[in-house]
Structures are given as structure tokens and as C-alpha cells.
Amino acid sequence: MTILTGFIFSFLSTVGFGIITNVPRRVLLYAGMTGAFGWTVYLLAESVTSNLILPNFLAALTIGLLGNVAAIRVKAPVNMIYVPSLVSLVPGGIIYTSLKEFALGNYMHAGQNLVKTLVIALAIDIGFAIAESLFKRVYQFVK
């Protein structure tokens, strides 16, 4: 998958999820762009490393920083941009595989996938926390 294809489909999935979750129309474009840039950073980082943490962390950091800027620009709560933007990063496939393996009695594989899911969630959470902290520091000086 090319970077451009990833950007386009991530934009579309972010906007689609925003529509499903009743994000106001004036926010959809900003959320879509934020999600698309976050996924593009993920794809770029994933092509450089086989690490599971770094691509998710960098994508969450990107979404966190761009989401805050977009929220100020569109005068909306940042959560309206965060929620749809994260749809591409959510490790749903790994969670599904983990539950399937658990139901089939393959507890070792289920546990390994569960640990992967928790690591991804932690990387995303840390990325957002750092983005929020950085943005608040920078915004104090710019404001």
C-alpha cells in the first residue's frame, strides 16, 4: 500500500467514523486531515522499524498535536477531533485474534496478542499525553 493510498483511505475512514459518531460537519475536514496525517506518520515509521511501539507512539503524537491545533482553529473540543482520528490506530484486529484464540483454548497465543494490544494502547496513550503537555507549553507562549 502506498503512502498516498493510506492517506486517502485513512481520511475517508476518519470522516466516516466522525459521521457515525455525530461529529459536527464543521469539524469533519479537520478530523479527517488529522487522522490521515497520523496514519501517514504511522506508515512511514512502520516502514523504517519493525518495532510495535514507535509507529503507534509517533502517530498518536502527531494526532495529539494536530488535533489541538485544529480544535483551536475550528473552536471545538479536541475530543471531537481525537475520537475519529484514532480509528485507524485502534488495534481491533489484534484484539479479535486474541479473543478468538482464547475461545479456541490457545491461551498462549491469546496472551501474546493481549500483551501486544496493551503495548499499542500504552504507546498511543503516552503519545497523547506528551502531545498534550507539549501543546500546552507552546500555546502558553504563543497565546
Side-chain angles (χ1 to χ4, degrees):
M1 176 162 66
T2 66
I3 299 297
L4 180 60
T5 305
F7 183 88
I8 291 168
F9 280 104
S10 179
F11 176 83
L12 294 173
S13 67
T14 300
V15 169
F17 193 73
I19 291 169
I20 290 170
T21 56
N22 293 323
V23 170
R25 288 182 187 214
R26 64 187 173 86
V27 178
L28 286 176
L29 176 66
Y30 292 95
M33 294 302 287
T34 300
F37 279 115
W39 184 247
T40 302
V41 167
Y42 177 88
L43 290 176
L44 291 171
E46 187 183 46
S47 69
V48 175
T49 182
S50 62
N51 188 338
L52 189 62
I53 297 170
L54 187 62
N56 287 289
F57 169 76
L58 292 176
L61 186 67
T62 302
I63 290 171
L65 292 172
L66 292 177
N68 275 293
V69 171
I72 290 172
R73 175 123 172 109
V74 76
K75 296 180 182 161
V78 72
N79 288 343
M80 288 186 177
I81 294 170
Y82 277 176
V83 171
S85 296
L86 275 174
V87 75
S88 298
L89 294 180
V90 172
I94 300 172
I95 293 170
Y96 171 79
T97 304
S98 180
L99 292 176
K100 182 182 82 171
E101 294 292 333
F102 182 76
L104 294 174
N106 300 329
Y107 302 117
M108 186 66 78
H109 293 303
Q112 289 171 346
N113 286 329
L114 182 60
V115 168
K116 282 183 188 178
T117 302
L118 293 174
V119 166
I120 291 170
L122 189 61
I124 292 170
D125 185 44
I126 291 171
F128 272 125
I130 291 174
E132 286 288 331
S133 178
L134 285 173
F135 186 79
K136 285 183 181 179
R137 297 249 181 198
V138 170
Y139 188 67
Q140 286 176 351
F141 293 114
V142 175
K143 188 178 168 184

